[in-house]
Amino acid sequence: MEYLIGIQGPDFVLVAADNVAASSIIQMKHDYDKMFKLSEKILLLCVGEAGDTVQFAEYIQKNVQLYKMRNGYELSPAAAANFTRKNLADYLRSRTPYHVNLLLAGYDEADGPGLYYMDYLSALAKAPFAAHGYGAFLTLSILDRYYRPDLTREEAVDLLKKCLEELNKRFILNLPSFTVRLIDKDGIHDMEKLPVGSK
Amino acid sequence: MALQDVCGLHNPPLFPQWSAPLSRSFMPEDSTHLSGGGIHGEAFSTRLPGRGGLSPLEFYMPIAEYLTESPINFGQTSLSSAPTKLLEIDHLHPSLPSISAAADTRSSCSGLVACPASPKVLPIHSHLVGTTSGTSADCALWKRILARELRLYKLRHHRRLSTGGAAKLLSHMLHPFKGTELCVAATLCGWDGDDEKHEQPITEKHANTPTNQMTASNSSVVRSRSRICGPRVIYVCSDGLRLQGELFSVGSGSPYAYSILDSSVYWGMSVQEATEVAREAVYRATYRDAYSGNNVDLYHVTAKGWRRRERENLKEEYYREKERERARVAERNAEKKAILKSDDGEIV
C-alpha cells in the first residue's frame, strides 16, 4: 500500500515516499510525510504498521540527537543504520516487535552518500537503489535496467519519474503524490512534489 | 460480595491496608488472593493479570509482560460505540478560524442499542474537545486520564499543553496496550495559543461540568510565548496512528460522511455553513449505517473555548426529508398531468 524508493548517485542520494495515510479503505490524509530527519544529512523513511512507524522512527530520531548532544558530533549514516538495525533486532523477539520497513539515506563527509535498506526482520543491506512496498515489485526492474553508478541529479529524477509513471499505470492503488528529497554534501533539499502539479 | 470475589479479596485480614496510604504496595509475587476465583470455577477469569499484591486502592498500571489477555475480562461484551459517526471540520474563515465537531449518540452492544443518548464528544478542558469512537468504556476512561494529565501539566507549567502535545501524550499512553483489545479512536479538537487576553470562554448549558472550574482558573497570568496558535485537529488511534489534519471522519459510518464532506467543505466557509454540512453528514451516515443514529451533537471550538449546540433528534430530520420527498414527487406528478392535459387539449 505504501511506497518508498531511494536512488544513490556518485555524490547524492535521492529518496521519495508516497503521501497517503490510510486507515483500512479510507485515505485519511493526502499530504502525510513519511520521512524523518535524523540529523542534518540523514533521512529515515519509514513505512509499516500504523503506530509502530512513528513510535520507532521517533525513538531512533531522538536517540541520534541524544548521541550528538552527549558526544558533540553526529553519527555517520553507517553507524545510524547499524544502530537502527540493532534496535529493530532487539525488539524482534520480544513481545512487542516493531513491524516497520525502512530506508535510511545519508551523506557522510568521509564515505560519501549511502543508502541502506532495512526490513522488518532487521535485515540490513547497503544498496545503490532500493524500494519498499508492493510498488517495489513493479519498479525494481526499471531501476535494474536504467541505473548507472554515475547518474547525474537530473538523470536520477528522470529515473524516479519513470518509476512513478509505471506505478500510475499498473499499480491497483491510487498514489496521487510523492514527497521527494535529495541529500548531498550541503544537507537535505526538498524537491518539488511529484507528479508535477499535484497538491 | 460479588465484586469482592471477583477482585480476589476474600479474607479481610489479608488486606489490613485497605485504609493504608496509597503508596504501600505488595510484592508482585504475592498471589495468595489471585486464586480467589476458585469458588466460582472457570465462569469468568479472576486472574487479573499483573495485579499482584496491589491494594485495590492503588491505581493499576499494567506491566507489558502481564498483558497476556485483555485486562478487563469479566465475560461481558464491551459496550462498543465503534460504529459512531463523527467528524471534525477545521473550517477557516481567514480571520475567524474555528473547529466544528459533530457526532451521533448511539451506543450499541452486539446488535442492540444500549444507549440512544450517549455523548460522544467529550470536553477535556476549556479549549479542547475530544470525539470518541471505539469502545465506550475505553474512550471514557482514557479521556478522563488525559484530562487529569493535562490539568497536572497546567498546574505544573502554568500553561495549557498544546493539542499536539496532548495527542502525543495520549498516543504514548495508549502504546503499551497495542495488540490488546483496547479500542480508542479519538479526534482531539483544540485551540492552541495565548488566549489569556480574551474573555472567559462561553460555556452555555454546561454550568455543572468540571470544565467551568477550569475556565475560572484561566484568568491567572501566564507568559505568552510566540508559537503557532490557532485551531488544531488531531486524530489519535489506539493502533498508534497519530495524524494532524483539517478534516476527519471516524467510525463505522465514516465513509458515508466522507462523501458528503468532500464535496461540500471548502476553505473559508462560514460557521453556519459548516454546521449545516456537519449535521447533514452525520444525518446521512445515520441513515445508512446501522450502528449510528438517534441524535446529533455539535460542538464549536474557537479562541474563546468550546460551545455546544443543542442536541438534535435526527428522527425529525428523517421525517422532514420524507415529507420533502413526497412533496417533490407530488409536484412532479402534477407537472406531468398538466403537460399531458395541454397535449390532449392540442391534439383534440
Side-chain angles (χ1 to χ4, degrees):
Chain A
M1 307 298 172
E2 303 171 295
Y3 182 67
L4 300 178
I5 182 173
I7 303 173
Q8 181 201 321
D11 59 349
F12 66 90
V13 188
L14 181 72
V15 287
D18 73 291
N19 285 333
V20 170
S23 177
S24 90
I25 58 166
I26 305 274
Q27 278 187 17
M28 295 205 81
K29 260 190 101 147
H30 313 287
D31 55 358
Y32 186 61
D33 192 1
K34 300 185 186 177
M35 304 195 194
F36 295 84
K37 186 174 148 181
L38 296 190
S39 76
E40 289 308 314
K41 296 187 188 159
I42 309 181
L43 269 181
L44 181 70
L45 286 75
C46 193
V47 291
E49 203 178 313
D52 287 354
T53 48
V54 174
Q55 288 280 131
F56 185 72
E58 283 188 348
Y59 175 69
I60 299 294
Q61 191 181 39
K62 303 313 172 197
N63 270 292
V64 170
Q65 291 299 310
L66 183 64
Y67 185 93
K68 180 181 172 185
M69 280 180 219
R70 279 188 180 148
N71 303 295
Y73 63 92
E74 288 184 338
L75 275 173
S76 68
N82 278 287
F83 170 71
T84 310
R85 190 212 71 83
K86 180 76 168 62
N87 268 294
L88 208 49
D90 286 339
Y91 278 103
L92 185 62
R93 286 183 198 264
S94 70
R95 294 201 64 255
T96 57
Y98 285 106
H99 197 292
V100 291
N101 293 316
L102 309 164
L103 280 184
L104 195 140
Y107 188 91
D108 191 24
E109 301 299 333
D111 301 327
L115 178 69
Y116 295 87
Y117 171 98
M118 216 176 317
D119 75 356
Y120 69 101
L121 296 169
S122 69
L124 175 66
K126 187 170 191 298
F129 56 86
H132 272 300
Y134 286 119
F137 288 99
L138 297 167
T139 52
L140 277 173
S141 35
I142 298 177
L143 291 165
D144 282 329
R145 188 170 176 208
Y146 292 108
Y147 177 80
R148 288 184 336 269
D150 57 350
L151 284 174
T152 66
R153 282 148 219 250
E154 290 75 26
E155 284 168 353
V157 175
D158 282 336
L159 183 52
L160 179 64
K161 281 188 184 160
K162 273 204 188 76
C163 293
L164 301 186
E165 267 165 32
E166 180 62 22
L167 282 184
N168 268 331
K169 188 160 182 231
R170 288 289 181 187
F171 191 41
I172 197 176
L173 291 187
N174 179 32
L175 296 174
S177 77
F178 294 81
T179 312
V180 184
R181 294 205 164 103
L182 186 111
I183 311 177
D184 62 7
K185 62 173 170 45
D186 300 320
I188 301 171
H189 310 282
D190 284 337
M191 300 189 68
E192 203 178 23
K193 269 195 181 162
L194 289 176
V196 183
S198 65
K199 277 173 288 191
Chain B
M1 290 196 307
L3 187 59
Q4 211 174 18
D5 293 337
V6 158
C7 295
L9 315 171
H10 285 295
N11 303 318
L14 267 182
F15 295 84
Q17 71 292 353
W18 180 263
S19 51
L22 289 173
S23 52
R24 280 188 57 192
S25 58
F26 278 110
M27 298 291 293
E29 291 77 46
D30 179 17
S31 59
T32 43
H33 49 276
L34 275 184
S35 55
I39 304 167
H40 304 272
E42 301 307 310
F44 47 84
S45 162
T46 50
R47 293 185 302 108
L48 291 175
R51 275 205 85 235
L54 293 179
S55 122
L57 289 178
E58 292 195 34
F59 187 73
Y60 170 52
M61 288 307 292
I63 308 156
E65 295 77 54
Y66 293 158
L67 287 175
T68 50
E69 56 193 47
S70 169
I72 304 165
N73 199 0
F74 297 132
Q76 64 194 15
T77 338
S78 59
L79 199 67
S80 119
S81 70
T84 65
K85 232 303 301 109
L86 43 83
L87 52 85
E88 295 64 38
I89 313 171
D90 189 5
H91 60 88
L92 293 233
H93 190 285
S95 52
L96 296 165
S98 58
I99 306 174
S100 291
D104 76 316
T105 58
R106 178 176 287 182
S107 287
S108 62
C109 179
S110 47
L112 303 171
V113 175
C115 176
S118 49
K120 293 191 191 175
V121 186
L122 303 173
I124 299 175
H125 62 65
S126 62
H127 286 71
L128 183 62
V129 136
T131 58
T132 61
S133 175
T135 311
S136 297
D138 289 334
C139 288
L141 173 69
W142 285 101
K143 281 281 150 64
R144 283 186 63 130
I145 293 176
L146 184 66
R148 182 194 66 190
E149 293 302 324
L150 293 182
R151 181 66 178 137
L152 284 172
Y153 185 92
K154 178 148 197 239
L155 288 169
R156 287 177 184 142
H157 300 95
H158 306 293
R159 66 176 183 93
R160 277 202 312 267
L161 186 57
S162 67
T163 316
K168 209 164 194 180
L169 184 61
L170 183 61
S171 177
H172 286 157
M173 287 198 291
L174 293 175
H175 183 68
F177 296 92
K178 187 162 171 152
T180 65
E181 284 170 22
L182 186 86
C183 180
V184 172
T187 317
L188 299 179
C189 319
W191 181 277
D192 299 338
D194 47 353
D195 61 340
E196 283 72 28
K197 304 188 195 106
H198 299 151
E199 319 114 53
Q200 292 279 341
I202 307 163
T203 49
E204 317 155 338
K205 302 181 185 70
H206 268 260
N208 306 324
T209 60
T211 326
N212 257 351
Q213 298 159 10
M214 204 173 292
T215 59
S217 62
N218 256 352
S219 48
S220 58
V221 173
V222 170
R223 276 167 299 158
S224 59
R225 306 195 190 174
S226 57
R227 63 163 56 83
I228 301 169
C229 75
R232 209 51 99 237
V233 176
I234 306 181
Y235 169 70
V236 180
C237 177
S238 50
D239 293 342
L241 193 60
R242 194 173 11 109
L243 297 173
Q244 193 200 316
E246 286 160 8
L247 174 69
F248 285 107
S249 174
V250 186
S252 63
S254 61
Y256 308 112
Y258 263 123
S259 33
I260 304 286
L261 296 170
D262 284 333
S263 52
S264 310
V265 169
Y266 61 92
W267 195 257
M269 49 193 318
S270 67
V271 178
Q272 275 84 348
E273 281 178 311
T275 312
E276 266 311 300
V277 171
R279 222 183 115 272
E280 172 89 18
V282 176
Y283 169 65
R284 292 284 158 213
T286 58
Y287 185 70
R288 281 288 174 185
D289 181 32
Y291 296 105
S292 309
N294 297 104
N295 312 304
V296 58
D297 278 335
L298 227 144
Y299 279 69
H300 188 231
V301 184
T302 56
K304 299 191 181 131
W306 57 260
R307 278 169 54 224
R308 181 172 174 260
R309 194 173 145 246
E310 203 174 328
R311 173 173 283 191
E312 186 190 339
N313 194 338
L314 288 172
K315 182 174 61 176
E316 316 295 326
E317 178 65 27
Y318 173 76
Y319 287 123
R320 251 178 278 145
E321 205 190 6
K322 283 276 169 263
E323 195 49 53
R324 277 198 293 264
E325 194 54 40
R326 198 142 37 93
R328 239 177 282 150
V329 170
E331 200 184 307
R332 266 202 297 268
N333 283 342
E335 274 176 21
K336 269 195 217 144
K337 265 199 198 135
I339 293 172
L340 281 172
K341 249 191 173 172
S342 66
D343 284 347
D344 285 345
E346 286 171 5
I347 290 173
V348 168

